[in-house]
Amino acid sequence: MTSELSEIASQERQSIKTWPGYIRAMHWTLASCVLGAWIMSENIRWVHEYLGYGAVTIVTIRIFAGFLDGGFVKFTNFVKGPAETVGYLKQIWRGKEERHIGHNPAGGAMILALLLTISMTGLTGWLLTTDRFFGEELLEDVHQFLANGVIFLVALHLAGVLLASVRHKENLVAAMITGRKRLT
C-alpha cells in the first residue's frame, strides 16, 4: 500500500494539472450531447432538441471560460494565428511537431471550429422551432449540413488526439479524464 502511494505521489510530481474538473465534465457532456443529438435526429425529436440546447449551453459556458478563466483554459494561451497554425500543421506532416502541455495550435483551431459549428447548428435548430422558420427547407438543409460538419470535425478531432497520443507517447484521453499531463 505504501509503495502504491509513493508511486502515485511520484506521478503527481512528474505531471501538471492541465484541465480543471469543470472543463473535463463539460467536454464529456458536450460529446454526449452531440452524439445523442445526432443519433436522435431522426428518432425522438424532443430528445434531439433538448440535447441540442444542452450542447449550446455548454458551448456558451466554454466561451465565457475561454475569456474569463486562466491557465490552459484561456483562449489567448492556445488560440494562435493562421500562420502559426498552418506552420504547426506542416510540422505534423513532416513528423516534427513539438509537444504542448496545453492545446497545440491545431487543437486550438479545432476547438474554435467545433465551438462555432456547434453554435451555428444549435442556432439553426432553434430557428426551425420558431413560427417564422418552422418547416423552412433551406434552413433544414443548412442545419443538417452544419450537423454533418460537426460530426466531420469530431472525427478530425479524434484523429488528431490519436496522432498526438502516438507521436508524443501520451494518452490524451486519460489526460481529459484525470486533468493531468506529464511534464516532459
Side-chain angles (χ1 to χ4, degrees):
M1 179 75 167
T2 307
S3 66
E4 290 174 11
L5 291 175
S6 296
E7 172 86 17
I8 292 169
S10 174
Q11 289 174 354
E12 290 275 320
R13 284 190 300 275
Q14 297 171 7
S15 67
I16 185 170
K17 187 79 167 170
T18 49
W19 318 121
Y22 82 96
I23 290 290
R24 292 178 282 133
M26 286 192 321
H27 175 272
W28 294 112
T29 304
L30 180 59
S32 299
C33 285
V34 167
L35 178 62
W38 183 66
I39 290 169
M40 290 295 162
S41 64
E42 300 297 326
N43 298 313
I44 306 171
R45 181 57 88 202
W46 69 269
V47 173
H48 172 80
E49 289 176 10
Y50 280 107
L51 289 170
Y53 293 141
V56 170
T57 300
I58 293 166
V59 166
T60 302
I61 294 167
R62 179 61 183 95
I63 290 170
F64 277 108
F67 290 110
L68 301 175
D69 204 340
F72 299 108
V73 174
K74 193 171 183 94
F75 289 141
T76 57
N77 290 334
F78 66 85
V79 174
K80 306 301 179 190
E84 190 171 343
T85 302
V86 169
Y88 190 79
L89 291 170
K90 288 178 182 176
Q91 290 174 3
I92 291 172
W93 183 256
R94 291 191 293 265
K96 298 181 182 203
E97 76 278 8
E98 62 185 56
R99 177 181 175 263
H100 290 255
I101 297 291
H103 292 291
N104 62 49
M110 179 56 71
I111 288 173
L112 292 182
L114 281 165
L115 293 176
L116 177 64
T117 310
I118 292 168
S119 297
M120 295 306 296
T121 305
L123 175 63
T124 56
W126 170 74
L127 285 172
L128 286 167
T129 68
T130 65
D131 290 339
R132 169 80 172 92
F133 294 103
F134 184 80
E136 188 69 38
E137 281 191 46
L138 177 60
L139 190 58
E140 286 179 10
D141 291 343
V142 170
H143 179 71
Q144 188 165 5
F145 176 80
L146 289 166
N148 289 335
V150 170
I151 299 305
F152 176 74
L153 290 172
V154 166
L156 279 180
H157 170 60
L158 294 173
V161 166
L162 179 63
L163 179 66
S165 292
V166 168
R167 290 260 183 94
H168 302 296
K169 296 175 177 54
E170 70 182 331
N171 187 338
L172 293 180
V173 174
M176 190 49 78
I177 292 170
T178 66
R180 302 191 75 81
K181 287 180 78 176
R182 65 180 163 79
L183 279 171
T184 55

